[in-house]
């Protein structure tokens, strides 16, 4: 057996550089490169390996550890999980900064490989700088915090352990049902230790992502149930897009006259103007989709994990006869809500169901004009929202209308948190698949700018727009600098409404007068944050980092700014002043949040009473 002597870090890079995936006969390189911020826990180990022997792996310098992992997550999401970046950090705070982003990747089932530095395996010197000392268990380090948010976790305390750990890491990263964050903790001394690795460890490895076929018996069970139902509704989740099942979804819906509703992750599975696309469903849903869901006797979930926003905290499905068929590559998700489980790839599962139902000459019982009438009613409402004027300035829905009408069909928008996901889910008109990039599994504030950079890395020939509020921008915007450094243009559309207004609205909707969620000065008289709004010049801030920047306070100014931003060669920010509270409201939907049973405020106790009444009426599933 031929061997080659390498440090553990050098061997890890050589291994990653030779990993490939194959789907439907198309082979592609799996690991694009490494994003990193160096510190004493990784700079002389994996940092030296990246500098001296990176192979074909590219390196991107992050500016914030959480931000770079968000960028890597967005890259993999936009690539349909077929290519990834790994992320490396120092120990201590550098590593822990990645934990939030690791959870974001895992919740969303997106592959990302994390390589944080760790304490000395030799325990000499000890304690090392930034080491977390747990007196009751000295084997624990800060990197153990990744365990609950990782789909696979390992610590490499001897260089030869890398071989088994790397193979297991790839197993999880390339598994569509089990993927998420994978963490390999790398003690800083072990990174630099050498071992005689067998050359076969570095042979090209192709991971075949074979489409999972449905079990014949499960397909029969699902077919029999669908055939009994009159008013089915399809809920299309992110699994439709990851599987590339958009054409099969359209063919299935059209064959049997079944309307389609979309989750946040599944939006853009069908064009917004497809006759059977009822739009968003759930808490942030459209009136059309929510009314269809309320009356449906069957929900066919395709690639959805049924979050509480999708199901309106399980209140969306009100028919006594409602049942579920769950088509999902993950058995964990396909068994939810007591449904008939069809554990398989979305593309092959939809095709199998279509062929089986066609033999039964099945068709849903909707009148031909029923879905069209609901769509027309909703389209009229969106037109109204897009044209809405407000005496105090630019309404948020008006701004989104201008943006939607100004962007091209292939332009990509990225969003994650605040009131904007609800508005975009309801009113954004997507034409092409994969142009609506919403991180709503974790709804992580600060994902937007980093995510837009990651999407731009994945789709260099498309224009990418981050749409976010001032709260998210203030929380994390550092990878805007990285986009400039890498020459990957993103356009940041910052809607300034002076605070965390989404949560401010949630407070006031449940009996509160609103507290602690607006960016106001503290006043000496009351001692509270009740003074005037803080005047933050976001465009000046963006210019200071090297971006082009514009301001817009009216619809016309916004149109002009978008046109000018389109012609900019590099990263651009448009600061858009919008009136607080001018977002969309609920459309026959409900969300279960805890409201105090006891309060000195009558408004709060009344809100609790109303919440309790709704909870008591919800169908238990």
């Amino acid at each position: 057996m031929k061997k080659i002597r390498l440090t553990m870090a050098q061997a890890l890079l050589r291994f990653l550089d030779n990993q490939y995936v194959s789907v439907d006969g198309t082979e592609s390189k799996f690991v694009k490169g490494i994003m990193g911020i160096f510190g004493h826990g990784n700079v002389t180990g994996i940092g030296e390996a990246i500098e001296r022997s990176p192979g074909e792996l590219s390196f991107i310098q992050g500016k914030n550890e959480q931000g770079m992992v968000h960028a890597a997550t967005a890259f993999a999401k936009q690539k349909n999980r077929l290519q990834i970046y790994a992320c490396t950090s120092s120990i201590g705070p550098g590593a822990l900064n990645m934990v939030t982003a690791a959870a974001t990747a895992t919740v969303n089932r997106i592959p990302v490989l994390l390589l944080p530095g760790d304490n000395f395996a030799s325990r000499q010197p000890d304690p090392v700088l930034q080491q977390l000392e747990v007196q009751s268990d000295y084997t624990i380090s800060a990197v153990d915090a990744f365990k609950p948010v990782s789909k696979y976790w390992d610590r490499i305390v001897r260089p030869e352990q890398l071989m088994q750990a790397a193979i297991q890491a790839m197993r999880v990263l390339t598994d569509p049902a089990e993927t998420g964050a994978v963490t390999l903790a790398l003690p800083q001394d072990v990174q630099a230790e050498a071992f005689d690795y067998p050359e076969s460890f570095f042979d090209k490895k192709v991971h075949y992502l074979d489409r999972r076929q449905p079990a014949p018996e499960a397909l029969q069970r699902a077919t029999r149930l669908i055939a009994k139902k009159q008013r089915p509704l399809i809920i299309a989740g992110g699994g439709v897009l990851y599987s590339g099942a958009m054409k099969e979804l359209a063919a299935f819906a059209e064959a049997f006259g079944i309307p389609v509703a979309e989750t946040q992750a599944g939006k853009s599975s069908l064009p917004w103007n497809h006759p059977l696309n009822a739009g968003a469903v759930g808490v942030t849903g459209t009136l059309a989709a929510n009314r269809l869901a309320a009356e449906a006797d069957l929900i066919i979930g395709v690639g959805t994990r049924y979050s509480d926003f999708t199901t309106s905290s399980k209140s969306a499905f009100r028919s006594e006869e409602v049942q579920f068929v769950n088509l999902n590559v993950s058995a964990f998700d396909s068994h939810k809500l007591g449904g008939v489980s069809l554990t398989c790839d979305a593309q092959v599962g939809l095709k199998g169901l279509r062929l089986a139902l066609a033999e039964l000459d099945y068709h849903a019982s909707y009148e031909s004009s029923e879905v069209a009438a609901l769509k027309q009613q909703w389209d009229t409402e969106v037109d109204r929202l897009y044209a809405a004027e407000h005496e105090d300035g630019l309404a948020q829905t008006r701004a989104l209308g201008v943006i939607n009408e100004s962007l091209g069909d292939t332009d990509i928008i990225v969003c994650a948190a605040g009131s904007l996901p609800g508005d975009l889910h309801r009113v954004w008109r997507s034409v092409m698949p994969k142009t609506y990039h919403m991180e709503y599994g974790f709804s992580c504030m600060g994902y937007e700018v980093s995510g837009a950079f990651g999407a731009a890395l994945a789709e260099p020939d498309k224009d990418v727009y981050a749409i976010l509020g001032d709260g998210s921008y203030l929380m994390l915007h550092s990878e805007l600098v990285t986009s400039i450094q890498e020459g990957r243009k993103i356009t940041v559309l910052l809607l300034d409404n002076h605070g965390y207004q989404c949560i401010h609205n949630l407070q006031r909707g449940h009996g509160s007068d609103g507290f602690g969620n607006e960016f106001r000065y503290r006043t000496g008289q009351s001692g509270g944050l009740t003074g005037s709004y803080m005047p933050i010049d976001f465009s000046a801030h963006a210019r200071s980092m090297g971006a082009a920047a514009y301001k817009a306070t009216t619809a016309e100014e916004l149109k002009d700014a978008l046109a000018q931003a389109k012609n900019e060669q590099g990263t651009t920010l448009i600061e858009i002043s919008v009136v607080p509270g001018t977002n969309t409201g609920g459309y026959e939907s409900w969300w279960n949040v805890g409201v105090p049973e006891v309060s000195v405020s009558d408004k709060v106790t009344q809100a609790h009473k109303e919440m309790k009444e709704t909870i008591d009426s919800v169908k238990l599933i």
Side-chain angles (χ1 to χ4, degrees), residues 53-115:
S53 49
E56 295 181 7
L57 300 175
S58 60
F59 174 73
I60 292 177
Q61 177 196 78
K63 306 301 175 293
N64 174 283
E65 290 89 354
Q66 182 184 152
M68 72 183 184
V69 180
H70 285 326
T73 300
F75 175 87
K77 177 180 174 72
Q78 203 64 35
K79 285 287 191 178
N80 277 345
R81 307 188 292 199
L82 299 179
Q83 192 171 50
I84 68 168
Y85 273 89
C87 295
T88 181
S89 75
S90 61
I91 76 169
L96 289 177
N97 279 347
M98 298 197 294
V99 172
T100 298
T104 302
T106 293
V107 168
N108 285 282
R109 279 75 158 173
I110 305 296
V112 62
L113 176 60
L114 306 177
L115 306 171

Side-chain angles (χ1 to χ4, degrees), residues 414-418 444-453 466-469 472-473:
V414 179
C415 188
C444 186
M445 292 185 69
Y447 175 91
E448 297 91 341
V449 172
S450 303
F453 170 57
I467 303 181
L468 73 165
S472 273
Y473 182 83

Side-chain angles (χ1 to χ4, degrees), residues 219-230 252 255-256 351-364:
L219 188 62
Q220 291 173 10
R221 289 191 293 269
T223 302
R224 287 196 298 267
L225 179 57
I226 296 172
K228 296 176 183 177
K229 298 296 185 175
Q230 302 298 308
F252 181 82
F256 311 115
K351 183 177 181 180
L353 280 175
R354 178 166 55 85
L355 295 175
L357 287 167
E359 291 183 359
L360 301 177
D361 199 25
Y362 172 76
H363 203 276

Side-chain angles (χ1 to χ4, degrees), residues 136-158:
S136 62
D137 186 347
Y138 221 69
T139 65
I140 293 176
S141 77
V143 181
D144 285 80
F146 285 88
K147 287 181 177 179
V149 296
S150 298
K151 296 294 286 187
Y152 178 80
W153 186 99
D154 204 346
R155 176 178 280 125
I156 315 300
V157 297
R158 293 175 58 91

Side-chain angles (χ1 to χ4, degrees), residues 182-295:
V182 167
T183 302
L184 297 182
L186 307 180
Q188 51 189 305
D189 53 342
V190 180
Q191 291 179 43
E193 291 177 6
F195 180 74
D196 293 324
Y197 291 94
E199 288 191 354
S200 59
F201 178 57
F202 307 112
D203 289 345
K204 176 181 177 180
K205 171 66 175 176
V206 180
H207 303 267
Y208 293 94
L209 308 187
D210 298 321
R211 294 189 181 275
R212 299 186 181 184
Q213 302 293 321
E217 296 82 0
L219 188 62
Q220 291 173 10
R221 289 191 293 269
T223 302
R224 287 196 298 267
L225 179 57
I226 296 172
K228 296 176 183 177
K229 298 296 185 175
Q230 302 298 308
R231 297 181 63 84
L233 173 68
I234 299 167
I235 294 182
V240 174
L241 293 165
Y242 296 138
S243 171
M246 295 78 72
K247 290 182 179 179
E248 282 297 343
L249 174 66
F252 181 82
E254 292 164 4
F256 311 115
I258 304 175
V260 178
E262 297 175 317
T263 71
Q264 286 279 20
K267 189 174 171 76
S268 78
S269 295
L270 290 180
W272 73 272
N273 53 1
H274 187 284
L276 291 171
N277 188 350
V281 68
V283 176
T284 54
T286 71
L287 191 63
N290 284 343
R291 286 185 173 174
L292 288 167
E295 298 177 4

Side-chain angles (χ1 to χ4, degrees), residues 78 268 404 406-414 428-437 455-456 459-465 566:
Q78 203 64 35
S268 78
N404 202 171
S406 300
L407 269 56
D409 291 348
T410 61
D411 292 343
I412 299 166
I413 64 166
V414 179
W428 191 262
R429 289 167 166 168
S430 299
V431 176
M432 301 298 294
K434 303 291 289 185
T435 56
Y436 182 88
H437 183 124
E459 304 256 28
D461 298 327
K462 295 183 179 179
D463 289 336
V464 180
Y465 293 79
K566 197 82 169 177

